[in-house]
Amino acid sequence: MSRMKTFLIYVLILVGFIIFSEFLINVSLNSSYHQIGRKDNLDQVTVYQAEATKVNARIKGTITNDAENPINKKYVRIDIYSERDVNVGTKYIDVENLEVGSKEEFALYFKAEDVGYYEVSYADEKTTEELDLLPGDLTRSQIVVATLLTMLIFW
């Protein structure tokens, strides 16, 4: 019985360490992001999160195709610039099939160094090469499954 209690204590310490380290990792990663600016005035594209670190950036928002001011282009073009006004990259979001009166959420995660600001515009065709997107944030269920699988591997 004493051996089972010791084993249970070790398991609880391991689980506590995993939870604590995951919390510290998420806090430190999120604190390294800083806000980036926007240099356009398109009302149809609303960005509610635009942040960057030294090497990564993320932009989240919504595109609204309202009846008063419809989008009549095929793509929403997002240009990423450095602090020195150098174009770091471009990403296109397809809005050709977006119906009038509907909204579309978008989230871009990309690798780009020294991002200072971004600019949103419309385009009929892709004229430049796009940035490679990074995988998005993991959901809570994906994190739990990955943690359980990792624990099974080391068991």
Side-chain angles (χ1 to χ4, degrees), residues 19-33:
I19 292 170
F20 182 68
S21 64
E22 188 68 31
F23 172 74
L24 288 180
I25 289 168
N26 285 331
V27 167
S28 66
L29 283 176
N30 286 329
S31 68
S32 64
Y33 279 93

Side-chain angles (χ1 to χ4, degrees), residues 75-78 88-94 108 110 126-133:
Y75 301 102
V76 171
R77 176 181 170 155
I78 299 178
V88 177
T90 302
K91 179 64 185 154
Y92 294 92
I93 301 171
D94 187 14
L108 305 176
F110 49 90
K126 295 181 180 183
T127 56
T128 59
E129 188 174 324
E130 289 190 79
L131 285 169
D132 292 331
L133 292 180

Side-chain angles (χ1 to χ4, degrees), residues 10-69:
Y10 287 150
V11 168
L12 289 176
I13 289 172
L14 178 67
V15 169
F17 177 74
I18 290 170
I19 292 170
F20 182 68
S21 64
E22 188 68 31
F23 172 74
L24 288 180
I25 289 168
N26 285 331
V27 167
S28 66
L29 283 176
N30 286 329
S31 68
S32 64
Y33 279 93
H34 66 279
Q35 297 290 326
I36 57 176
R38 180 176 175 173
K39 295 206 175 176
D40 65 76
N41 56 358
L42 294 179
D43 294 333
Q44 293 95 341
V45 181
T46 306
V47 175
Y48 54 84
Q49 184 180 20
E51 301 172 325
T53 63
K54 280 290 195 190
V55 293
N56 296 326
R58 59 185 173 198
I59 298 175
K60 296 179 183 179
T62 59
I63 301 169
T64 306
N65 194 2
D66 54 357
E68 300 162 0
N69 201 1

Side-chain angles (χ1 to χ4, degrees), residues 65 70-76 93-97 121-125:
N65 194 2
I71 300 173
N72 54 7
K73 302 282 186 175
K74 291 183 180 181
Y75 301 102
V76 171
I93 301 171
D94 187 14
V95 293
E96 186 175 22
N97 299 327
S121 61
Y122 299 119
D124 278 326
E125 59 186 40

